[in-house]
Amino acid sequence: MASSRKRYLVWAVQIAVSAVLLAFIFHFVPLAQVWGAAKRLSPQLWLAGFALFLIGHALTAAKWWMLIGHEVRFARAFRAHLAGLGANLALPGVAGGDVVRAALVMGETKDKGRLAVGSLVDRLIDTASLALVALVGAWFAFNTDGRTTGLVVGGIVVVVAIKLTLLRLLSARIAAFAAWLSTKGKAGRILGKIIAASAEMGRQPGLLLGCFILSLAVQCLFVLINIAFALALGVMIPAAAWFYAWAGAKIIAILPISLGGLGLREASMAALLQPFGVNTGAVIAIGLIWQTVLYASGILGLLVQAGFAALPGKSTSPLDPKPHIG
């Protein structure tokens, strides 16, 4: 009962924050201006963007599936990922969706340590790729020196390569420590499994690098969808500015203070794009259109999960630690 009250309190606070942010936005940018810009987007372009968004999340689900191991069937992992998108509509922060999708595949996973570590690494990879997109976008948007840009990107690549190499070299010692820790009681066994899974992942730098590249590709796809929306609304600014502002706003929107980032993402993107002399009303409209894509995908995820859960013999609770789905 106490946890339910706390959950409702969190939802109430998030709704209130989003409402305040939207009220603040529409105080300075008339709603008629935003609506007038949004009407320029054709339904066909929205549907194309939504389809590409789902393709991007199919790739994201594949990345998570590779990181947690192949004990879970991909179809089930994809359904769990879609359900996680739905959970992000209401649960606090991105972690809420991560917890839901992990819970939905837990019953089919023997290596719980790999599931926990893989899910955490998946979130870290996505955050790191977003940060890289924002940094490189900012560099190109504010600096035209190609040589310096190449040095910055090259330096990032070298640092990542060094970290992956060190992780592989230290994985044997980490595994030995995990084995020792597993002999120290129940808590030690649980922690040992997690550390052992981390060591196992450290022996696969190619997997980590491949997942990082895949995450970069998906984030860039999402930015390109927003650029297409922007062009339809008549917003003509350098593509690099969109990579910088969109990725930066998404990082800010991860903060669990608003309802699925509503209001926070739009305000952040408008502020980050201000130096480029954009039409603020059009930027807010693009942000809200993107929100409709997010909510549509979340609703689709909940419907898919509910459809499978309603089948005979299937679990009806999305948070059942041992669900029997598909």
Side-chain angles (χ1 to χ4, degrees):
M1 184 65 70
S3 61
S4 296
R5 284 198 297 267
K6 183 178 180 181
R7 187 181 304 121
Y8 287 127
L9 178 61
V10 169
W11 288 341
V13 170
Q14 289 180 328
I15 291 171
V17 170
S18 288
V20 169
L21 287 171
L22 290 174
F24 178 80
I25 289 171
F26 292 127
H27 175 73
F28 291 99
V29 184
L31 178 59
Q33 181 183 346
V34 175
W35 177 243
K39 287 193 296 185
R40 299 177 191 171
L41 188 77
S42 68
Q44 294 85 351
L45 182 55
W46 186 91
L47 287 172
F50 180 62
L52 288 173
F53 181 81
L54 291 179
I55 291 173
H57 272 287
L59 295 174
T60 301
K63 170 172 60 68
W64 176 58
W65 177 67
M66 289 187 289
L67 288 169
I68 65 174
H70 297 162
E71 293 180 334
V72 180
R73 293 166 295 165
F74 175 70
R76 181 169 179 178
F78 186 35
R79 292 203 303 271
H81 180 79
L82 289 177
L85 293 179
N88 283 334
L89 298 178
L91 295 182
V94 177
D98 290 348
V99 170
V100 167
R101 69 176 182 174
L104 286 169
V105 301
M106 191 174 293
E108 199 172 306
T109 305
K110 295 180 181 178
D111 191 346
K112 303 298 189 292
R114 178 64 182 259
L115 175 61
V117 171
S119 296
L120 176 60
V121 170
D122 180 61
R123 178 53 50 203
L124 293 175
I125 285 176
D126 281 347
T127 304
S129 66
L130 268 176
L132 182 58
V133 169
L135 287 173
V136 174
W139 191 266
F140 276 99
F142 294 105
N143 192 317
T144 57
D145 187 349
R147 178 181 297 180
T148 306
T149 301
L151 289 175
V152 171
V153 175
I156 293 173
V157 171
V158 170
V159 169
V160 170
I162 291 173
K163 287 186 175 182
L164 289 175
T165 301
L166 288 175
L167 189 59
R168 181 174 185 126
L169 292 175
L170 294 174
S171 60
R173 293 188 178 182
I174 296 174
F177 173 71
W180 172 82
L181 194 62
S182 296
T183 63
K184 305 301 178 181
K186 183 177 180 179
R189 285 196 300 273
I190 295 173
L191 188 57
K193 287 181 179 180
I194 295 175
I195 294 176
S198 303
E200 178 62 29
M201 196 163 292
R203 298 190 188 99
Q204 303 173 11
L207 171 65
L208 297 176
L209 182 59
C211 288
F212 182 71
I213 293 173
L214 182 57
S215 179
L216 275 176
V218 171
Q219 302 301 340
C220 289
L221 172 63
F222 292 164
V223 177
L224 291 174
I225 296 172
N226 279 262
I227 291 177
F229 290 170
L231 292 175
L233 270 60
V235 178
M236 305 295 179
I237 60 173
W242 274 110
F243 279 88
Y244 149 69
W246 186 88
K250 185 173 181 180
I251 292 173
I252 295 172
I254 290 175
L255 296 173
I257 60 175
S258 62
L259 190 64
L262 180 61
L264 185 59
R265 180 184 288 103
E266 292 74 28
S268 301
M269 194 159 63
L272 292 172
L273 286 175
Q274 199 61 40
F276 302 94
V278 297
N279 181 324
T280 304
V283 172
I284 297 300
I286 294 166
L288 293 175
I289 290 169
W290 185 249
Q291 284 286 76
T292 65
V293 172
L294 297 179
Y295 278 95
S297 64
I299 292 170
L300 176 63
L302 292 176
L303 290 175
V304 169
Q305 182 59 37
F308 276 90
L311 294 175
K314 310 299 181 183
S315 171
T316 57
S317 173
L319 294 177
D320 184 354
K322 291 187 177 181
H324 304 283
I325 304 172

mmCIF file of all heavy atoms in Angstrom, residues 109-159:
data_model
loop_
_atom_site.group_PDB
_atom_site.id
_atom_site.type_symbol
_atom_site.label_atom_id
_atom_site.label_comp_id
_atom_site.label_asym_id
_atom_site.label_seq_id
_atom_site.Cartn_x
_atom_site.Cartn_y
_atom_site.Cartn_z
ATOM 1 N N THR A 109 15.555 -16.687 -18.136
ATOM 2 C CA THR A 109 16.991 -16.446 -18.028
ATOM 3 C C THR A 109 17.566 -17.188 -16.826
ATOM 4 O O THR A 109 17.123 -16.976 -15.696
ATOM 5 C CB THR A 109 17.267 -14.929 -17.874
ATOM 6 O OG1 THR A 109 16.665 -14.241 -18.956
ATOM 7 C CG2 THR A 109 18.749 -14.652 -17.870
ATOM 8 N N LYS A 110 18.537 -18.038 -17.063
ATOM 9 C CA LYS A 110 19.191 -18.746 -15.968
ATOM 10 C C LYS A 110 20.268 -17.883 -15.312
ATOM 11 O O LYS A 110 20.452 -17.922 -14.100
ATOM 12 C CB LYS A 110 19.814 -20.046 -16.491
ATOM 13 C CG LYS A 110 18.792 -21.059 -16.997
ATOM 14 C CD LYS A 110 19.484 -22.307 -17.503
ATOM 15 C CE LYS A 110 18.452 -23.318 -18.027
ATOM 16 N NZ LYS A 110 19.100 -24.539 -18.570
ATOM 17 N N ASP A 111 20.992 -17.125 -16.142
ATOM 18 C CA ASP A 111 22.086 -16.305 -15.637
ATOM 19 C C ASP A 111 21.553 -14.915 -15.285
ATOM 20 O O ASP A 111 21.549 -13.999 -16.100
ATOM 21 C CB ASP A 111 23.199 -16.203 -16.686
ATOM 22 C CG ASP A 111 24.477 -15.586 -16.120
ATOM 23 O OD1 ASP A 111 24.418 -15.005 -15.023
ATOM 24 O OD2 ASP A 111 25.527 -15.687 -16.781
ATOM 25 N N LYS A 112 21.074 -14.772 -14.048
ATOM 26 C CA LYS A 112 20.499 -13.500 -13.622
ATOM 27 C C LYS A 112 21.563 -12.406 -13.542
ATOM 28 O O LYS A 112 21.269 -11.229 -13.758
ATOM 29 C CB LYS A 112 19.815 -13.664 -12.257
ATOM 30 C CG LYS A 112 18.730 -14.743 -12.198
ATOM 31 C CD LYS A 112 17.584 -14.441 -13.152
ATOM 32 C CE LYS A 112 16.407 -15.391 -12.951
ATOM 33 N NZ LYS A 112 16.686 -16.786 -13.329
ATOM 34 N N GLY A 113 22.798 -12.797 -13.236
ATOM 35 C CA GLY A 113 23.880 -11.817 -13.183
ATOM 36 C C GLY A 113 24.123 -11.197 -14.541
ATOM 37 O O GLY A 113 24.302 -9.989 -14.663
ATOM 38 N N ARG A 114 24.104 -12.040 -15.592
ATOM 39 C CA ARG A 114 24.310 -11.523 -16.949
ATOM 40 C C ARG A 114 23.158 -10.602 -17.351
ATOM 41 O O ARG A 114 23.372 -9.583 -18.018
ATOM 42 C CB ARG A 114 24.420 -12.698 -17.922
ATOM 43 C CG ARG A 114 24.580 -12.312 -19.402
ATOM 44 C CD ARG A 114 25.878 -11.563 -19.664
ATOM 45 N NE ARG A 114 25.999 -11.161 -21.046
ATOM 46 C CZ ARG A 114 26.744 -11.789 -21.953
ATOM 47 N NH1 ARG A 114 27.436 -12.890 -21.609
ATOM 48 N NH2 ARG A 114 26.828 -11.362 -23.197
ATOM 49 N N LEU A 115 21.942 -10.931 -16.936
ATOM 50 C CA LEU A 115 20.793 -10.090 -17.243
ATOM 51 C C LEU A 115 20.946 -8.717 -16.595
ATOM 52 O O LEU A 115 20.713 -7.677 -17.239
ATOM 53 C CB LEU A 115 19.506 -10.754 -16.749
ATOM 54 C CG LEU A 115 18.210 -9.937 -16.883
ATOM 55 C CD1 LEU A 115 17.933 -9.607 -18.349
ATOM 56 C CD2 LEU A 115 17.030 -10.698 -16.264
ATOM 57 N N ALA A 116 21.356 -8.694 -15.323
ATOM 58 C CA ALA A 116 21.513 -7.425 -14.615
ATOM 59 C C ALA A 116 22.639 -6.592 -15.211
ATOM 60 O O ALA A 116 22.470 -5.395 -15.486
ATOM 61 C CB ALA A 116 21.778 -7.686 -13.133
ATOM 62 N N VAL A 117 23.781 -7.226 -15.438
ATOM 63 C CA VAL A 117 24.938 -6.499 -15.964
ATOM 64 C C VAL A 117 24.683 -6.053 -17.397
ATOM 65 O O VAL A 117 24.985 -4.919 -17.776
ATOM 66 C CB VAL A 117 26.210 -7.367 -15.887
ATOM 67 C CG1 VAL A 117 27.371 -6.707 -16.620
ATOM 68 C CG2 VAL A 117 26.582 -7.621 -14.437
ATOM 69 N N GLY A 118 24.097 -6.954 -18.206
ATOM 70 C CA GLY A 118 23.818 -6.605 -19.590
ATOM 71 C C GLY A 118 22.861 -5.433 -19.704
ATOM 72 O O GLY A 118 23.042 -4.543 -20.543
ATOM 73 N N SER A 119 21.843 -5.399 -18.838
ATOM 74 C CA SER A 119 20.879 -4.296 -18.864
ATOM 75 C C SER A 119 21.538 -2.980 -18.449
ATOM 76 O O SER A 119 21.272 -1.922 -19.032
ATOM 77 C CB SER A 119 19.701 -4.607 -17.935
ATOM 78 O OG SER A 119 18.993 -5.745 -18.391
ATOM 79 N N LEU A 120 22.411 -3.066 -17.437
ATOM 80 C CA LEU A 120 23.115 -1.860 -16.991
ATOM 81 C C LEU A 120 24.069 -1.354 -18.074
ATOM 82 O O LEU A 120 24.111 -0.145 -18.369
ATOM 83 C CB LEU A 120 23.887 -2.151 -15.702
ATOM 84 C CG LEU A 120 24.761 -1.010 -15.170
ATOM 85 C CD1 LEU A 120 23.909 0.225 -14.857
ATOM 86 C CD2 LEU A 120 25.536 -1.461 -13.942
ATOM 87 N N VAL A 121 24.821 -2.270 -18.674
ATOM 88 C CA VAL A 121 25.765 -1.885 -19.730
ATOM 89 C C VAL A 121 25.007 -1.300 -20.923
ATOM 90 O O VAL A 121 25.458 -0.343 -21.553
ATOM 91 C CB VAL A 121 26.620 -3.095 -20.158
ATOM 92 C CG1 VAL A 121 27.433 -2.783 -21.409
ATOM 93 C CG2 VAL A 121 27.555 -3.500 -19.027
ATOM 94 N N ASP A 122 23.850 -1.875 -21.226
ATOM 95 C CA ASP A 122 23.031 -1.363 -22.325
ATOM 96 C C ASP A 122 22.662 0.092 -22.076
ATOM 97 O O ASP A 122 22.749 0.937 -22.982
ATOM 98 C CB ASP A 122 21.778 -2.222 -22.451
ATOM 99 C CG ASP A 122 20.860 -1.751 -23.575
ATOM 100 O OD1 ASP A 122 21.305 -1.745 -24.738
ATOM 101 O OD2 ASP A 122 19.707 -1.395 -23.295
ATOM 102 N N ARG A 123 22.257 0.410 -20.854
ATOM 103 C CA ARG A 123 21.890 1.799 -20.524
ATOM 104 C C ARG A 123 23.114 2.710 -20.594
ATOM 105 O O ARG A 123 23.040 3.842 -21.101
ATOM 106 C CB ARG A 123 21.266 1.845 -19.118
ATOM 107 C CG ARG A 123 20.884 3.232 -18.640
ATOM 108 C CD ARG A 123 20.005 3.974 -19.598
ATOM 109 N NE ARG A 123 18.865 3.187 -20.042
ATOM 110 C CZ ARG A 123 18.205 3.405 -21.157
ATOM 111 N NH1 ARG A 123 18.587 4.361 -21.973
ATOM 112 N NH2 ARG A 123 17.172 2.648 -21.487
ATOM 113 N N LEU A 124 24.268 2.231 -20.101
ATOM 114 C CA LEU A 124 25.483 3.038 -20.138
ATOM 115 C C LEU A 124 25.927 3.300 -21.575
ATOM 116 O O LEU A 124 26.372 4.411 -21.910
ATOM 117 C CB LEU A 124 26.603 2.339 -19.360
ATOM 118 C CG LEU A 124 26.401 2.223 -17.841
ATOM 119 C CD1 LEU A 124 27.515 1.415 -17.223
ATOM 120 C CD2 LEU A 124 26.326 3.613 -17.215
ATOM 121 N N ILE A 125 25.811 2.288 -22.431
ATOM 122 C CA ILE A 125 26.187 2.448 -23.839
ATOM 123 C C ILE A 125 25.302 3.490 -24.514
ATOM 124 O O ILE A 125 25.786 4.362 -25.243
ATOM 125 C CB ILE A 125 26.098 1.096 -24.575
ATOM 126 C CG1 ILE A 125 27.287 0.210 -24.190
ATOM 127 C CG2 ILE A 125 26.062 1.290 -26.093
ATOM 128 C CD1 ILE A 125 27.237 -1.189 -24.782
ATOM 129 N N ASP A 126 23.991 3.421 -24.269
ATOM 130 C CA ASP A 126 23.078 4.383 -24.874
ATOM 131 C C ASP A 126 23.379 5.802 -24.407
ATOM 132 O O ASP A 126 23.357 6.756 -25.204
ATOM 133 C CB ASP A 126 21.631 4.027 -24.550
ATOM 134 C CG ASP A 126 21.101 2.898 -25.431
ATOM 135 O OD1 ASP A 126 21.761 2.569 -26.437
ATOM 136 O OD2 ASP A 126 20.036 2.349 -25.109
ATOM 137 N N THR A 127 23.665 5.961 -23.117
ATOM 138 C CA THR A 127 23.972 7.289 -22.591
ATOM 139 C C THR A 127 25.282 7.819 -23.167
ATOM 140 O O THR A 127 25.385 9.000 -23.538
ATOM 141 C CB THR A 127 24.049 7.252 -21.053
ATOM 142 O OG1 THR A 127 22.822 6.732 -20.518
ATOM 143 C CG2 THR A 127 24.282 8.650 -20.483
ATOM 144 N N ALA A 128 26.287 6.923 -23.268
ATOM 145 C CA ALA A 128 27.578 7.331 -23.824
ATOM 146 C C ALA A 128 27.448 7.704 -25.297
ATOM 147 O O ALA A 128 28.060 8.687 -25.762
ATOM 148 C CB ALA A 128 28.599 6.204 -23.653
ATOM 149 N N SER A 129 26.651 6.942 -26.045
ATOM 150 C CA SER A 129 26.483 7.253 -27.464
ATOM 151 C C SER A 129 25.755 8.582 -27.649
ATOM 152 O O SER A 129 26.089 9.376 -28.533
ATOM 153 C CB SER A 129 25.737 6.118 -28.178
ATOM 154 O OG SER A 129 24.399 6.009 -27.723
ATOM 155 N N LEU A 130 24.768 8.843 -26.808
ATOM 156 C CA LEU A 130 24.071 10.135 -26.853
ATOM 157 C C LEU A 130 25.037 11.282 -26.561
ATOM 158 O O LEU A 130 25.012 12.319 -27.240
ATOM 159 C CB LEU A 130 22.943 10.160 -25.824
ATOM 160 C CG LEU A 130 21.550 9.719 -26.270
ATOM 161 C CD1 LEU A 130 20.602 9.736 -25.077
ATOM 162 C CD2 LEU A 130 21.018 10.601 -27.383
ATOM 163 N N ALA A 131 25.872 11.084 -25.550
ATOM 164 C CA ALA A 131 26.844 12.123 -25.206
ATOM 165 C C ALA A 131 27.802 12.373 -26.363
ATOM 166 O O ALA A 131 28.138 13.534 -26.667
ATOM 167 C CB ALA A 131 27.619 11.716 -23.953
ATOM 168 N N LEU A 132 28.253 11.309 -27.038
ATOM 169 C CA LEU A 132 29.160 11.468 -28.166
ATOM 170 C C LEU A 132 28.476 12.200 -29.322
ATOM 171 O O LEU A 132 29.068 13.083 -29.949
ATOM 172 C CB LEU A 132 29.661 10.102 -28.628
ATOM 173 C CG LEU A 132 30.662 10.110 -29.791
ATOM 174 C CD1 LEU A 132 31.894 10.933 -29.438
ATOM 175 C CD2 LEU A 132 31.072 8.685 -30.163
ATOM 176 N N VAL A 133 27.217 11.828 -29.611
ATOM 177 C CA VAL A 133 26.460 12.509 -30.674
ATOM 178 C C VAL A 133 26.334 13.997 -30.353
ATOM 179 O O VAL A 133 26.534 14.859 -31.226
ATOM 180 C CB VAL A 133 25.066 11.871 -30.848
ATOM 181 C CG1 VAL A 133 24.191 12.738 -31.751
ATOM 182 C CG2 VAL A 133 25.192 10.478 -31.446
ATOM 183 N N ALA A 134 26.019 14.312 -29.097
ATOM 184 C CA ALA A 134 25.864 15.715 -28.702
ATOM 185 C C ALA A 134 27.186 16.470 -28.810
ATOM 186 O O ALA A 134 27.230 17.603 -29.313
ATOM 187 C CB ALA A 134 25.323 15.797 -27.277
ATOM 188 N N LEU A 135 28.277 15.861 -28.364
ATOM 189 C CA LEU A 135 29.580 16.521 -28.391
ATOM 190 C C LEU A 135 30.060 16.763 -29.818
ATOM 191 O O LEU A 135 30.507 17.869 -30.157
ATOM 192 C CB LEU A 135 30.600 15.680 -27.617
ATOM 193 C CG LEU A 135 30.456 15.676 -26.091
ATOM 194 C CD1 LEU A 135 31.409 14.665 -25.470
ATOM 195 C CD2 LEU A 135 30.721 17.062 -25.525
ATOM 196 N N VAL A 136 29.980 15.721 -30.648
ATOM 197 C CA VAL A 136 30.429 15.871 -32.033
ATOM 198 C C VAL A 136 29.524 16.855 -32.774
ATOM 199 O O VAL A 136 30.001 17.693 -33.555
ATOM 200 C CB VAL A 136 30.463 14.505 -32.746
ATOM 201 C CG1 VAL A 136 30.792 14.669 -34.227
ATOM 202 C CG2 VAL A 136 31.503 13.593 -32.084
ATOM 203 N N GLY A 137 28.208 16.775 -32.529
ATOM 204 C CA GLY A 137 27.292 17.721 -33.152
ATOM 205 C C GLY A 137 27.600 19.151 -32.746
ATOM 206 O O GLY A 137 27.605 20.060 -33.591
ATOM 207 N N ALA A 138 27.884 19.361 -31.466
ATOM 208 C CA ALA A 138 28.210 20.701 -30.979
ATOM 209 C C ALA A 138 29.500 21.208 -31.615
ATOM 210 O O ALA A 138 29.611 22.379 -31.992
ATOM 211 C CB ALA A 138 28.344 20.685 -29.456
ATOM 212 N N TRP A 139 30.459 20.298 -31.752
ATOM 213 C CA TRP A 139 31.743 20.709 -32.331
ATOM 214 C C TRP A 139 31.577 21.160 -33.784
ATOM 215 O O TRP A 139 32.093 22.191 -34.194
ATOM 216 C CB TRP A 139 32.748 19.570 -32.233
ATOM 217 C CG TRP A 139 34.132 20.047 -32.570
ATOM 218 C CD1 TRP A 139 34.766 20.005 -33.768
ATOM 219 C CD2 TRP A 139 35.023 20.688 -31.670
ATOM 220 N NE1 TRP A 139 36.000 20.582 -33.681
ATOM 221 C CE2 TRP A 139 36.196 21.003 -32.399
ATOM 222 C CE3 TRP A 139 34.952 21.027 -30.312
ATOM 223 C CZ2 TRP A 139 37.279 21.641 -31.821
ATOM 224 C CZ3 TRP A 139 36.042 21.662 -29.741
ATOM 225 C CH2 TRP A 139 37.198 21.961 -30.490
ATOM 226 N N PHE A 140 30.843 20.409 -34.551
ATOM 227 C CA PHE A 140 30.616 20.778 -35.947
ATOM 228 C C PHE A 140 29.712 22.006 -36.060
ATOM 229 O O PHE A 140 29.853 22.811 -36.984
ATOM 230 C CB PHE A 140 29.989 19.612 -36.720
ATOM 231 C CG PHE A 140 30.991 18.618 -37.223
ATOM 232 C CD1 PHE A 140 31.226 17.441 -36.535
ATOM 233 C CD2 PHE A 140 31.713 18.860 -38.380
ATOM 234 C CE1 PHE A 140 32.148 16.519 -36.993
ATOM 235 C CE2 PHE A 140 32.645 17.948 -38.844
ATOM 236 C CZ PHE A 140 32.868 16.768 -38.145
ATOM 237 N N ALA A 141 28.765 22.144 -35.137
ATOM 238 C CA ALA A 141 27.829 23.268 -35.204
ATOM 239 C C ALA A 141 28.496 24.597 -34.857
ATOM 240 O O ALA A 141 28.150 25.640 -35.433
ATOM 241 C CB ALA A 141 26.653 23.023 -34.264
ATOM 242 N N PHE A 142 29.461 24.560 -33.932
ATOM 243 C CA PHE A 142 30.072 25.799 -33.473
ATOM 244 C C PHE A 142 31.503 26.000 -33.968
ATOM 245 O O PHE A 142 32.097 27.037 -33.727
ATOM 246 C CB PHE A 142 30.077 25.840 -31.938
ATOM 247 C CG PHE A 142 28.695 25.914 -31.342
ATOM 248 C CD1 PHE A 142 28.122 24.791 -30.752
ATOM 249 C CD2 PHE A 142 27.963 27.075 -31.396
ATOM 250 C CE1 PHE A 142 26.850 24.844 -30.207
ATOM 251 C CE2 PHE A 142 26.688 27.149 -30.851
ATOM 252 C CZ PHE A 142 26.132 26.031 -30.258
ATOM 253 N N ASN A 143 32.052 24.995 -34.645
ATOM 254 C CA ASN A 143 33.446 25.072 -35.071
ATOM 255 C C ASN A 143 33.567 24.467 -36.459
ATOM 256 O O ASN A 143 33.124 23.344 -36.697
ATOM 257 C CB ASN A 143 34.346 24.317 -34.070
ATOM 258 C CG ASN A 143 35.819 24.600 -34.306
ATOM 259 O OD1 ASN A 143 36.283 24.619 -35.432
ATOM 260 N ND2 ASN A 143 36.549 24.804 -33.226
ATOM 261 N N THR A 144 34.188 25.165 -37.373
ATOM 262 C CA THR A 144 34.322 24.678 -38.747
ATOM 263 C C THR A 144 35.720 24.142 -39.046
ATOM 264 O O THR A 144 36.040 23.842 -40.188
ATOM 265 C CB THR A 144 34.013 25.814 -39.740
ATOM 266 O OG1 THR A 144 34.889 26.914 -39.493
ATOM 267 C CG2 THR A 144 32.571 26.270 -39.612
ATOM 268 N N ASP A 145 36.562 24.037 -38.031
ATOM 269 C CA ASP A 145 37.925 23.536 -38.227
ATOM 270 C C ASP A 145 37.896 22.016 -38.326
ATOM 271 O O ASP A 145 37.824 21.308 -37.325
ATOM 272 C CB ASP A 145 38.806 23.974 -37.049
ATOM 273 C CG ASP A 145 40.279 23.624 -37.274
ATOM 274 O OD1 ASP A 145 40.570 22.866 -38.219
ATOM 275 O OD2 ASP A 145 41.112 24.109 -36.502
ATOM 276 N N GLY A 146 37.958 21.481 -39.524
ATOM 277 C CA GLY A 146 37.860 20.040 -39.744
ATOM 278 C C GLY A 146 38.995 19.268 -39.114
ATOM 279 O O GLY A 146 38.824 18.160 -38.616
ATOM 280 N N ARG A 147 40.230 19.846 -39.133
ATOM 281 C CA ARG A 147 41.385 19.137 -38.566
ATOM 282 C C ARG A 147 41.213 18.941 -37.065
ATOM 283 O O ARG A 147 41.446 17.858 -36.537
ATOM 284 C CB ARG A 147 42.669 19.931 -38.845
ATOM 285 C CG ARG A 147 43.919 19.273 -38.248
ATOM 286 C CD ARG A 147 45.159 20.106 -38.526
ATOM 287 N NE ARG A 147 45.420 20.211 -39.958
ATOM 288 C CZ ARG A 147 46.453 20.891 -40.472
ATOM 289 N NH1 ARG A 147 47.300 21.532 -39.666
ATOM 290 N NH2 ARG A 147 46.623 20.931 -41.784
ATOM 291 N N THR A 148 40.802 19.994 -36.370
ATOM 292 C CA THR A 148 40.591 19.887 -34.922
ATOM 293 C C THR A 148 39.485 18.889 -34.605
ATOM 294 O O THR A 148 39.587 18.096 -33.660
ATOM 295 C CB THR A 148 40.227 21.263 -34.334
ATOM 296 O OG1 THR A 148 41.230 22.198 -34.701
ATOM 297 C CG2 THR A 148 40.139 21.196 -32.818
ATOM 298 N N THR A 149 38.432 18.916 -35.397
ATOM 299 C CA THR A 149 37.333 17.973 -35.209
ATOM 300 C C THR A 149 37.820 16.542 -35.349
ATOM 301 O O THR A 149 37.469 15.664 -34.556
ATOM 302 C CB THR A 149 36.211 18.246 -36.229
ATOM 303 O OG1 THR A 149 35.751 19.570 -36.062
ATOM 304 C CG2 THR A 149 35.060 17.281 -36.033
ATOM 305 N N GLY A 150 38.646 16.294 -36.362
ATOM 306 C CA GLY A 150 39.197 14.955 -36.563
ATOM 307 C C GLY A 150 40.043 14.502 -35.382
ATOM 308 O O GLY A 150 39.993 13.338 -34.982
ATOM 309 N N LEU A 151 40.804 15.438 -34.812
ATOM 310 C CA LEU A 151 41.632 15.097 -33.658
ATOM 311 C C LEU A 151 40.770 14.734 -32.448
ATOM 312 O O LEU A 151 41.086 13.797 -31.706
ATOM 313 C CB LEU A 151 42.553 16.274 -33.310
ATOM 314 C CG LEU A 151 43.696 16.554 -34.302
ATOM 315 C CD1 LEU A 151 44.441 17.820 -33.908
ATOM 316 C CD2 LEU A 151 44.658 15.358 -34.350
ATOM 317 N N VAL A 152 39.674 15.495 -32.248
ATOM 318 C CA VAL A 152 38.788 15.213 -31.113
ATOM 319 C C VAL A 152 38.155 13.829 -31.260
ATOM 320 O O VAL A 152 38.156 13.019 -30.327
ATOM 321 C CB VAL A 152 37.702 16.301 -30.999
ATOM 322 C CG1 VAL A 152 36.657 15.906 -29.968
ATOM 323 C CG2 VAL A 152 38.327 17.638 -30.628
ATOM 324 N N VAL A 153 37.587 13.565 -32.445
ATOM 325 C CA VAL A 153 36.954 12.265 -32.679
ATOM 326 C C VAL A 153 37.978 11.140 -32.570
ATOM 327 O O VAL A 153 37.713 10.095 -31.972
ATOM 328 C CB VAL A 153 36.263 12.246 -34.063
ATOM 329 C CG1 VAL A 153 35.711 10.856 -34.360
ATOM 330 C CG2 VAL A 153 35.153 13.279 -34.119
ATOM 331 N N GLY A 154 39.170 11.358 -33.142
ATOM 332 C CA GLY A 154 40.230 10.352 -33.055
ATOM 333 C C GLY A 154 40.630 10.080 -31.611
ATOM 334 O O GLY A 154 40.880 8.929 -31.226
ATOM 335 N N GLY A 155 40.695 11.156 -30.810
ATOM 336 C CA GLY A 155 41.035 10.983 -29.396
ATOM 337 C C GLY A 155 40.001 10.161 -28.650
ATOM 338 O O GLY A 155 40.349 9.301 -27.822
ATOM 339 N N ILE A 156 38.731 10.385 -28.957
ATOM 340 C CA ILE A 156 37.659 9.602 -28.328
ATOM 341 C C ILE A 156 37.787 8.132 -28.698
ATOM 342 O O ILE A 156 37.650 7.243 -27.849
ATOM 343 C CB ILE A 156 36.285 10.157 -28.749
ATOM 344 C CG1 ILE A 156 36.071 11.556 -28.162
ATOM 345 C CG2 ILE A 156 35.161 9.232 -28.298
ATOM 346 C CD1 ILE A 156 34.819 12.247 -28.658
ATOM 347 N N VAL A 157 38.076 7.860 -29.970
ATOM 348 C CA VAL A 157 38.229 6.477 -30.424
ATOM 349 C C VAL A 157 39.394 5.796 -29.706
ATOM 350 O O VAL A 157 39.297 4.638 -29.273
ATOM 351 C CB VAL A 157 38.441 6.437 -31.951
ATOM 352 C CG1 VAL A 157 38.820 5.025 -32.403
ATOM 353 C CG2 VAL A 157 37.190 6.902 -32.684
ATOM 354 N N VAL A 158 40.502 6.521 -29.543
ATOM 355 C CA VAL A 158 41.677 5.949 -28.863
ATOM 356 C C VAL A 158 41.355 5.634 -27.403
ATOM 357 O O VAL A 158 41.721 4.567 -26.888
ATOM 358 C CB VAL A 158 42.870 6.919 -28.956
ATOM 359 C CG1 VAL A 158 44.005 6.456 -28.046
ATOM 360 C CG2 VAL A 158 43.367 7.009 -30.396
ATOM 361 N N VAL A 159 40.680 6.555 -26.732
ATOM 362 C CA VAL A 159 40.323 6.328 -25.316
ATOM 363 C C VAL A 159 39.425 5.099 -25.172
ATOM 364 O O VAL A 159 39.624 4.266 -24.286
ATOM 365 C CB VAL A 159 39.629 7.583 -24.738
ATOM 366 C CG1 VAL A 159 39.026 7.273 -23.372
ATOM 367 C CG2 VAL A 159 40.619 8.728 -24.626
#
